[in-house]
Coordinates of all heavy atoms in Angstrom, one line a residue:
M8 N 63.0 45.0 -58.3 CA 63.9 45.9 -57.6 C 64.5 45.2 -56.4 O 63.8 44.4 -55.8 CB 63.3 47.2 -57.2 CG 62.8 48.1 -58.4 SD 64.1 48.7 -59.4 CE 64.6 50.2 -58.5
M9 N 65.7 45.6 -56.1 CA 66.3 45.1 -54.9 C 66.9 46.3 -54.1 O 67.1 47.3 -54.6 CB 67.4 44.1 -55.2 CG 68.6 44.7 -56.0 SD 69.9 43.5 -56.3 CE 71.0 44.6 -57.2
T10 N 67.2 46.1 -52.8 CA 67.8 47.1 -52.0 C 69.2 46.7 -51.6 O 69.4 45.5 -51.2 CB 66.9 47.4 -50.7 OG1 65.6 47.8 -51.2 CG2 67.5 48.5 -49.9
I11 N 70.1 47.6 -51.7 CA 71.5 47.4 -51.2 C 71.9 48.5 -50.2 O 71.2 49.5 -50.2 CB 72.5 47.4 -52.4 CG1 72.6 48.7 -53.1 CG2 72.1 46.3 -53.4 CD1 73.8 48.9 -54.0
R12 N 72.9 48.2 -49.5 CA 73.5 49.2 -48.6 C 74.8 49.6 -49.1 O 75.7 48.8 -49.4 CB 73.6 48.6 -47.2 CG 74.1 49.6 -46.1 CD 74.1 48.9 -44.8 NE 74.7 49.7 -43.8 CZ 75.5 49.3 -42.8 NH1 75.7 48.0 -42.7 NH2 76.0 50.1 -41.9
I13 N 75.0 50.9 -49.2 CA 76.3 51.5 -49.7 C 77.0 52.2 -48.5 O 76.4 53.0 -47.8 CB 76.1 52.5 -50.9 CG1 75.3 51.8 -52.0 CG2 77.5 52.9 -51.4 CD1 74.9 52.8 -53.0
L14 N 78.3 51.8 -48.3 CA 79.1 52.5 -47.3 C 80.2 53.3 -48.0 O 80.8 52.8 -48.9 CB 79.8 51.4 -46.4 CG 78.8 50.4 -45.7 CD1 79.6 49.4 -45.0 CD2 77.9 51.1 -44.8
Y15 N 80.4 54.5 -47.5 CA 81.4 55.4 -48.1 C 82.4 55.6 -47.0 O 82.1 55.9 -45.8 CB 80.8 56.8 -48.5 CG 79.6 56.6 -49.5 CD1 78.3 56.6 -49.1 CD2 79.9 56.5 -50.8 CE1 77.3 56.5 -50.0 CE2 78.9 56.3 -51.8 CZ 77.6 56.4 -51.3 OH 76.6 56.2 -52.3
F16 N 83.7 55.5 -47.4 CA 84.8 55.7 -46.4 C 85.7 56.8 -46.8 O 85.9 57.2 -47.9 CB 85.6 54.3 -46.3 CG 84.8 53.2 -45.7 CD1 84.1 52.3 -46.5 CD2 84.7 53.1 -44.3 CE1 83.3 51.3 -45.9 CE2 84.0 52.1 -43.7 CZ 83.3 51.2 -44.5
A17 N 86.4 57.3 -45.7 CA 87.5 58.3 -45.8 C 87.1 59.5 -46.7 O 86.1 60.1 -46.4 CB 88.8 57.6 -46.4
R18 N 87.9 59.8 -47.7 CA 87.6 61.0 -48.5 C 86.2 61.0 -49.1 O 85.6 62.1 -49.1 CB 88.7 61.0 -49.7 CG 88.4 62.2 -50.6 CD 89.3 62.0 -51.9 NE 88.6 61.1 -52.9 CZ 89.2 60.1 -53.4 NH1 90.5 59.8 -53.2 NH2 88.6 59.3 -54.3
L19 N 85.7 59.9 -49.5 CA 84.4 59.8 -50.1 C 83.3 60.2 -49.1 O 82.4 61.0 -49.4 CB 84.1 58.4 -50.6 CG 85.0 58.0 -51.8 CD1 84.7 56.6 -52.2 CD2 84.8 58.9 -53.0
R20 N 83.5 59.7 -47.9 CA 82.5 60.1 -46.8 C 82.5 61.6 -46.5 O 81.5 62.2 -46.4 CB 82.8 59.3 -45.5 CG 81.9 59.6 -44.3 CD 82.3 58.9 -43.0 NE 83.7 59.3 -42.7 CZ 84.7 58.4 -42.5 NH1 84.4 57.1 -42.5 NH2 85.9 58.8 -42.2
D21 N 83.7 62.1 -46.5 CA 83.8 63.6 -46.2 C 83.3 64.4 -47.4 O 82.5 65.3 -47.1 CB 85.3 63.9 -46.0 CG 85.9 63.3 -44.7 OD1 85.1 62.9 -43.9 OD2 87.1 63.2 -44.7
V22 N 83.7 64.1 -48.6 CA 83.2 64.9 -49.7 C 81.7 64.8 -50.0 O 81.0 65.8 -50.3 CB 84.0 64.5 -51.0 CG1 83.4 65.2 -52.2 CG2 85.5 64.9 -50.8
L23 N 81.2 63.6 -49.9 CA 79.8 63.3 -50.1 C 78.9 63.6 -48.9 O 77.7 63.6 -49.1 CB 79.6 61.9 -50.6 CG 80.4 61.5 -51.9 CD1 80.3 60.0 -52.1 CD2 80.0 62.4 -53.0
R24 N 79.5 63.9 -47.8 CA 78.8 64.2 -46.6 C 77.8 63.1 -46.1 O 76.7 63.4 -45.6 CB 78.1 65.6 -46.7 CG 79.1 66.7 -46.9 CD 78.5 68.1 -47.1 NE 77.8 68.2 -48.4 CZ 78.3 68.3 -49.6 NH1 79.6 68.3 -49.7 NH2 77.6 68.4 -50.7
T25 N 78.2 61.9 -46.4 CA 77.4 60.8 -45.9 C 78.2 59.5 -45.7 O 79.2 59.3 -46.5 CB 76.2 60.5 -46.8 OG1 75.3 59.5 -46.2 CG2 76.6 60.0 -48.2
G26 N 78.0 58.7 -44.7 CA 78.7 57.5 -44.5 C 78.1 56.3 -45.1 O 78.7 55.3 -45.3
E27 N 76.8 56.4 -45.3 CA 76.0 55.2 -45.9 C 74.7 55.6 -46.4 O 74.2 56.7 -46.0 CB 75.9 54.1 -44.8 CG 75.0 54.5 -43.6 CD 75.0 53.3 -42.7 OE1 75.9 53.2 -41.8 OE2 74.0 52.5 -42.8
E28 N 74.1 54.8 -47.2 CA 72.8 55.0 -47.7 C 72.2 53.6 -48.2 O 73.0 52.7 -48.5 CB 72.7 56.0 -48.8 CG 73.4 55.6 -50.1 CD 73.2 56.6 -51.2 OE1 72.0 56.9 -51.5 OE2 74.2 57.0 -51.8
E29 N 70.9 53.5 -48.3 CA 70.3 52.4 -48.9 C 69.8 52.9 -50.2 O 69.3 54.0 -50.4 CB 69.1 51.9 -48.0 CG 69.6 51.1 -46.8 CD 68.5 50.3 -46.2 OE1 67.4 50.3 -46.6 OE2 68.9 49.6 -45.2
L30 N 69.9 52.0 -51.2 CA 69.5 52.3 -52.6 C 68.8 51.2 -53.2 O 69.2 50.0 -53.1 CB 70.8 52.7 -53.4 CG 70.6 53.3 -54.7 CD1 69.9 54.7 -54.6 CD2 72.0 53.5 -55.4
A31 N 67.7 51.5 -53.9 CA 67.0 50.4 -54.7 C 67.5 50.4 -56.1 O 67.7 51.4 -56.8 CB 65.5 50.8 -54.7
L32 N 67.9 49.2 -56.6 CA 68.4 49.0 -57.9 C 67.7 47.9 -58.6 O 67.2 47.0 -57.9 CB 69.9 48.6 -57.8 CG 70.9 49.5 -57.1 CD1 72.2 48.8 -57.0 CD2 71.0 50.8 -58.0
P33 N 67.7 47.9 -59.9 CA 67.1 46.7 -60.7 C 68.0 45.5 -60.4 O 69.2 45.6 -60.3 CB 67.2 47.1 -62.1 CG 67.4 48.6 -62.1 CD 68.1 48.9 -60.8
E34 N 67.4 44.3 -60.4 CA 68.1 43.0 -60.3 C 69.1 43.0 -61.4 O 68.8 43.4 -62.5 CB 67.1 41.9 -60.4 CG 66.1 41.8 -59.3 CD 66.6 41.2 -58.0 OE1 67.5 40.4 -58.0 OE2 65.9 41.5 -56.9
G35 N 70.3 42.4 -61.1 CA 71.3 42.2 -62.1 C 72.2 43.4 -62.3 O 73.0 43.4 -63.2
T36 N 72.0 44.5 -61.5 CA 72.9 45.6 -61.6 C 74.3 45.3 -61.3 O 74.6 44.6 -60.3 CB 72.4 46.8 -60.7 OG1 71.1 47.2 -61.1 CG2 73.3 48.0 -60.8
T37 N 75.3 45.7 -62.1 CA 76.7 45.5 -61.9 C 77.2 46.7 -61.1 O 76.6 47.7 -60.9 CB 77.5 45.4 -63.2 OG1 77.3 46.7 -63.9 CG2 77.0 44.3 -64.1
L38 N 78.5 46.5 -60.6 CA 79.1 47.6 -59.9 C 79.3 48.8 -60.9 O 79.0 49.9 -60.4 CB 80.5 47.1 -59.4 CG 81.3 48.2 -58.7 CD1 80.6 48.7 -57.5 CD2 82.7 47.6 -58.3
A39 N 79.6 48.6 -62.1 CA 79.7 49.7 -63.1 C 78.4 50.4 -63.2 O 78.3 51.6 -63.4 CB 80.2 49.1 -64.4
G40 N 77.3 49.6 -63.2 CA 75.9 50.2 -63.3 C 75.6 51.1 -62.1 O 75.1 52.2 -62.2
L41 N 76.0 50.6 -60.9 CA 75.9 51.4 -59.7 C 76.7 52.7 -59.8 O 76.2 53.8 -59.5 CB 76.3 50.6 -58.5 CG 76.4 51.4 -57.2 CD1 75.1 52.1 -56.8 CD2 77.0 50.6 -56.0
V42 N 77.9 52.6 -60.2 CA 78.8 53.8 -60.3 C 78.2 54.8 -61.3 O 78.2 56.0 -61.1 CB 80.2 53.4 -60.7 CG1 81.1 54.6 -61.1 CG2 80.9 52.6 -59.6
A43 N 77.6 54.3 -62.4 CA 77.0 55.2 -63.4 C 75.8 55.9 -62.8 O 75.6 57.1 -63.1 CB 76.5 54.4 -64.6
L44 N 75.0 55.3 -61.9 CA 73.9 55.9 -61.2 C 74.4 57.0 -60.3 O 73.8 58.1 -60.2 CB 73.1 54.9 -60.4 CG 72.2 54.0 -61.3 CD1 71.6 52.9 -60.4 CD2 71.2 54.7 -62.0
L45 N 75.5 56.7 -59.6 CA 76.1 57.7 -58.7 C 76.6 58.9 -59.5 O 76.4 60.1 -59.1 CB 77.2 57.1 -57.8 CG 76.8 56.0 -56.9 CD1 78.0 55.4 -56.2 CD2 75.7 56.5 -55.9
V46 N 77.3 58.7 -60.6 CA 77.8 59.8 -61.4 C 76.7 60.6 -61.9 O 76.8 61.9 -62.0 CB 78.6 59.2 -62.6 CG1 78.9 60.3 -63.7 CG2 79.9 58.6 -62.1
A47 N 75.5 60.0 -62.3 CA 74.4 60.8 -62.8 C 73.8 61.7 -61.8 O 73.1 62.7 -62.2 CB 73.3 59.8 -63.2
R48 N 74.2 61.6 -60.5 CA 73.7 62.6 -59.5 C 74.4 63.9 -59.7 O 73.9 64.9 -59.2 CB 74.0 62.1 -58.1 CG 73.2 60.9 -57.7 CD 73.6 60.4 -56.3 NE 72.7 59.4 -55.8 CZ 72.9 58.7 -54.7 NH1 73.9 59.0 -53.9 NH2 72.0 57.8 -54.3
G49 N 75.5 64.0 -60.4 CA 76.2 65.2 -60.7 C 77.0 65.7 -59.6 O 77.2 65.0 -58.5
G50 N 77.5 66.9 -59.7 CA 78.3 67.6 -58.6 C 79.4 66.7 -58.1 O 80.2 66.2 -58.9
D51 N 79.5 66.7 -56.8 CA 80.6 65.9 -56.1 C 80.6 64.5 -56.5 O 81.6 63.8 -56.6 CB 80.5 66.1 -54.6 CG 80.9 67.5 -54.1 OD1 81.7 68.2 -54.8 OD2 80.5 67.9 -53.0
W52 N 79.4 63.9 -56.7 CA 79.2 62.5 -57.0 C 79.9 62.2 -58.4 O 80.7 61.3 -58.5 CB 77.7 62.1 -57.1 CG 77.0 62.3 -55.8 CD1 76.4 63.4 -55.4 CD2 76.9 61.3 -54.8 NE1 75.9 63.2 -54.1 CE2 76.2 61.9 -53.7 CE3 77.4 60.0 -54.6 CZ2 75.9 61.3 -52.5 CZ3 77.1 59.4 -53.4 CH2 76.4 60.0 -52.4
A53 N 79.7 63.1 -59.4 CA 80.3 62.9 -60.7 C 81.8 63.1 -60.6 O 82.6 62.4 -61.2 CB 79.7 63.9 -61.7
A54 N 82.2 64.1 -59.8 CA 83.7 64.3 -59.6 C 84.4 63.2 -59.0 O 85.5 62.8 -59.4 CB 83.9 65.6 -58.8
E55 N 83.8 62.5 -58.0 CA 84.4 61.4 -57.3 C 84.4 60.1 -58.0 O 85.3 59.3 -58.0 CB 83.8 61.3 -55.9 CG 84.1 62.4 -54.9 CD 85.6 62.5 -54.7 OE1 86.4 61.5 -54.6 OE2 86.1 63.7 -54.5
F56 N 83.3 59.8 -58.7 CA 83.1 58.5 -59.4 C 83.3 58.5 -60.9 O 83.4 57.5 -61.5 CB 81.8 57.9 -59.0 CG 81.7 57.6 -57.5 CD1 80.8 58.4 -56.7 CD2 82.5 56.7 -56.9 CE1 80.7 58.1 -55.3 CE2 82.4 56.5 -55.5 CZ 81.5 57.2 -54.7
G57 N 83.2 59.7 -61.5 CA 83.3 59.8 -63.0 C 84.5 60.4 -63.5 O 84.7 60.4 -64.7
G58 N 85.3 60.9 -62.7 CA 86.5 61.6 -63.2 C 87.8 60.8 -63.0 O 87.7 59.6 -63.0
A59 N 88.8 61.5 -62.8 CA 90.1 60.9 -62.6 C 90.4 60.3 -61.2 O 91.5 59.7 -61.0 CB 91.2 61.8 -63.1
R60 N 89.5 60.6 -60.3 CA 89.7 60.2 -58.9 C 89.7 58.6 -58.8 O 88.8 58.0 -59.5 CB 88.7 60.7 -58.0 CG 88.6 62.2 -57.9 CD 89.8 62.8 -57.3 NE 89.7 62.7 -55.8 CZ 90.0 63.7 -55.0 NH1 90.4 64.9 -55.5 NH2 90.0 63.5 -53.7
V61 N 90.6 58.1 -58.1 CA 90.7 56.6 -58.0 C 89.9 56.2 -56.7 O 90.0 56.8 -55.7 CB 92.2 56.2 -57.9 CG1 92.3 54.7 -57.6 CG2 92.9 56.6 -59.1
F62 N 89.2 55.1 -56.8 CA 88.5 54.5 -55.7 C 88.5 53.0 -55.8 O 88.6 52.5 -56.9 CB 87.1 55.1 -55.5 CG 86.1 54.7 -56.6 CD1 85.3 53.6 -56.4 CD2 86.1 55.5 -57.7 CE1 84.4 53.3 -57.5 CE2 85.2 55.2 -58.7 CZ 84.4 54.1 -58.6
R63 N 88.2 52.3 -54.8 CA 88.1 50.9 -54.8 C 86.7 50.5 -54.3 O 86.0 51.3 -53.7 CB 89.1 50.2 -53.8 CG 90.5 50.5 -54.1 CD 91.0 49.7 -55.3 NE 92.4 49.9 -55.5 CZ 92.9 50.6 -56.5 NH1 92.1 51.1 -57.4 NH2 94.2 50.7 -56.7
A64 N 86.3 49.3 -54.6 CA 84.9 48.8 -54.2 C 85.0 47.4 -53.7 O 85.8 46.6 -54.1 CB 84.0 48.9 -55.3
A65 N 84.1 47.1 -52.7 CA 84.0 45.7 -52.2 C 82.5 45.4 -52.1 O 81.7 46.3 -51.8 CB 84.6 45.6 -50.9
I66 N 82.1 44.2 -52.5 CA 80.8 43.7 -52.4 C 80.8 42.6 -51.3 O 81.5 41.6 -51.5 CB 80.2 43.2 -53.7 CG1 80.2 44.3 -54.8 CG2 78.8 42.6 -53.5 CD1 79.9 43.8 -56.2
N67 N 80.0 42.8 -50.3 CA 80.0 41.9 -49.2 C 81.4 41.5 -48.7 O 81.7 40.4 -48.4 CB 79.2 40.6 -49.5 CG 77.7 41.0 -49.7 OD1 77.2 41.9 -49.1 ND2 77.1 40.2 -50.6
Q68 N 82.2 42.6 -48.6 CA 83.6 42.5 -48.0 C 84.6 41.8 -48.9 O 85.7 41.4 -48.5 CB 83.6 42.0 -46.6 CG 82.7 42.8 -45.7 CD 82.7 42.3 -44.2 OE1 83.4 41.4 -43.9 NE2 82.0 43.0 -43.4
D69 N 84.2 41.5 -50.2 CA 85.2 41.0 -51.1 C 85.4 42.0 -52.2 O 84.5 42.6 -52.7 CB 84.6 39.7 -51.8 CG 84.5 38.5 -50.9 OD1 85.4 38.4 -50.1 OD2 83.5 37.8 -51.0
M70 N 86.7 42.3 -52.5 CA 87.1 43.2 -53.5 C 86.3 42.9 -54.8 O 86.1 41.8 -55.2 CB 88.6 43.2 -53.8 CG 89.4 43.7 -52.6 SD 88.9 45.3 -52.0 CE 89.4 46.4 -53.4
A71 N 85.8 44.0 -55.5 CA 84.9 43.8 -56.6 C 85.5 44.5 -57.9 O 86.3 45.4 -57.8 CB 83.6 44.4 -56.3
R72 N 85.1 44.0 -59.0 CA 85.4 44.5 -60.3 C 84.2 45.2 -60.9 O 83.1 44.8 -60.5 CB 86.0 43.5 -61.2 CG 87.3 42.9 -60.7 CD 87.9 41.9 -61.7 NE 86.8 41.1 -62.3 CZ 86.8 39.8 -62.4 NH1 87.8 39.1 -61.8 NH2 85.8 39.1 -63.0
P73 N 84.4 46.1 -61.9 CA 83.2 46.7 -62.5 C 82.1 45.8 -63.0 O 80.9 46.2 -63.0 CB 83.8 47.6 -63.6 CG 85.2 47.8 -63.1 CD 85.6 46.6 -62.4
D74 N 82.5 44.7 -63.6 CA 81.5 43.8 -64.2 C 80.9 42.8 -63.2 O 80.0 42.0 -63.5 CB 82.1 43.0 -65.3 CG 83.3 42.1 -64.9 OD1 83.9 42.4 -63.9 OD2 83.6 41.2 -65.7
D75 N 81.2 42.9 -61.9 CA 80.6 42.0 -60.9 C 79.1 42.5 -60.6 O 78.8 43.6 -60.5 CB 81.3 42.1 -59.5 CG 82.7 41.4 -59.6 OD1 82.9 40.6 -60.5 OD2 83.5 41.7 -58.7
V76 N 78.2 41.5 -60.6 CA 76.8 41.7 -60.3 C 76.6 41.9 -58.8 O 77.2 41.1 -58.1 CB 75.9 40.6 -60.9 CG1 74.5 40.8 -60.5 CG2 76.1 40.5 -62.4
I77 N 75.8 42.9 -58.5 CA 75.5 43.1 -57.0 C 74.3 42.3 -56.7 O 73.3 42.5 -57.2 CB 75.3 44.6 -56.8 CG1 76.5 45.4 -57.2 CG2 75.0 44.9 -55.3 CD1 76.2 46.9 -57.2
P78 N 74.4 41.4 -55.7 CA 73.3 40.6 -55.3 C 72.3 41.4 -54.4 O 72.7 42.4 -53.7 CB 73.9 39.5 -54.5 CG 75.2 40.0 -54.0 CD 75.7 41.0 -55.0
A79 N 71.1 41.0 -54.3 CA 70.1 41.6 -53.5 C 70.5 41.6 -52.0 O 71.1 40.6 -51.6 CB 68.7 40.9 -53.6
G80 N 70.3 42.7 -51.3 CA 70.7 42.8 -49.9 C 72.2 43.0 -49.7 O 72.6 43.0 -48.5
A81 N 73.0 43.2 -50.7 CA 74.4 43.3 -50.6 C 74.8 44.6 -49.8 O 74.1 45.6 -49.8 CB 75.1 43.3 -51.9
E82 N 76.0 44.5 -49.3 CA 76.7 45.7 -48.7 C 77.8 46.0 -49.7 O 78.7 45.2 -50.0 CB 77.3 45.4 -47.4 CG 78.1 46.5 -46.8 CD 78.8 46.1 -45.5 OE1 78.1 46.2 -44.4 OE2 79.9 45.6 -45.6
V83 N 77.8 47.2 -50.2 CA 78.8 47.7 -51.2 C 79.6 48.8 -50.5 O 79.0 49.8 -50.0 CB 78.2 48.3 -52.5 CG1 79.3 48.8 -53.4 CG2 77.3 47.2 -53.2
A84 N 80.9 48.6 -50.3 CA 81.8 49.6 -49.7 C 82.6 50.3 -50.8 O 83.1 49.6 -51.7 CB 82.7 48.9 -48.7
L85 N 82.6 51.6 -50.8 CA 83.4 52.4 -51.7 C 84.4 53.2 -50.9 O 84.0 53.9 -49.9 CB 82.4 53.3 -52.5 CG 81.4 52.6 -53.3 CD1 80.4 53.6 -53.9 CD2 82.0 51.8 -54.4
F86 N 85.7 53.2 -51.3 CA 86.7 53.8 -50.5 C 87.9 54.1 -51.4 O 88.1 53.5 -52.4 CB 87.1 52.9 -49.4 CG 87.4 51.5 -49.8 CD1 88.7 51.1 -50.1 CD2 86.4 50.5 -49.9 CE1 89.0 49.8 -50.5 CE2 86.7 49.2 -50.3 CZ 88.0 48.8 -50.6
P87 N 88.7 55.1 -51.0 CA 89.9 55.4 -51.7 C 91.0 54.3 -51.5 O 90.9 53.6 -50.6 CB 90.4 56.7 -51.1 CG 89.4 57.2 -50.2 CD 88.5 56.0 -49.9
P88 N 92.0 54.2 -52.4 CA 93.0 53.2 -52.2 C 93.7 53.5 -50.9 O 93.9 54.6 -50.5 CB 94.0 53.5 -53.4 CG 93.3 54.3 -54.3 CD 92.2 55.0 -53.6
V89 N 94.2 52.4 -50.2 CA 94.9 52.6 -49.0 C 96.3 52.6 -49.2 O 96.9 51.9 -50.1 CB 94.5 51.3 -48.1 CG1 95.3 51.4 -46.8 CG2 93.1 51.2 -47.8
T90 N 97.0 53.6 -48.6 CA 98.5 53.7 -48.7 C 99.1 53.4 -47.4 O 98.5 53.7 -46.3 CB 98.9 55.1 -49.2 OG1 98.4 56.1 -48.3 CG2 98.3 55.4 -50.6
G91 N 100.3 52.8 -47.4 CA 101.0 52.6 -46.2 C 101.8 53.8 -45.7 O 101.9 54.7 -46.4
G92 N 102.3 53.6 -44.5 CA 103.1 54.8 -44.0 C 103.8 54.5 -42.8 O 103.8 53.5 -42.1

């Protein structure tokens, strides 16, 4: 097992009522695997990460894709798309 730090921003922070958490994951977990674990929590977690809501992710401050493997000790940021104005 490895530990990662997850940061939630903007709408996600508000809806999930947390700005960050530490989570233990099996070695080799992908971003898609992490999202599946969050969806499995149900409720707002499933609505935000398993439905039609759009979000972005970064691993150690680099934009990430679903098949990217999360390294031990990583910081994973989850946030809505940014719009200009």
Side-chain angles (χ1 to χ4, degrees):
M8 294 295 274
M9 64 176 182
T10 301
I11 65 165
R12 181 175 175 218
I13 307 172
L14 304 176
Y15 302 98
F16 291 95
R18 175 191 84 232
L19 296 174
R20 179 185 56 234
D21 295 340
V22 170
L23 302 174
R24 294 174 297 283
T25 186
E27 66 180 83
E28 68 176 305
E29 287 194 359
L30 190 62
L32 299 173
E34 298 278 337
T36 298
T37 62
L38 179 59
L41 169 61
V42 170
L44 289 172
L45 297 177
V46 168
R48 291 177 172 177
D51 289 335
W52 299 89
E55 290 298 325
F56 297 112
R60 301 291 282 223
V61 177
F62 66 94
R63 301 282 185 253
I66 299 173
N67 292 330
Q68 300 182 6
D69 290 323
M70 294 304 294
R72 296 186 319 234
D74 60 341
D75 287 345
V76 174
I77 302 171
E82 175 186 271
V83 178
L85 300 171
F86 50 93
V89 177
T90 59

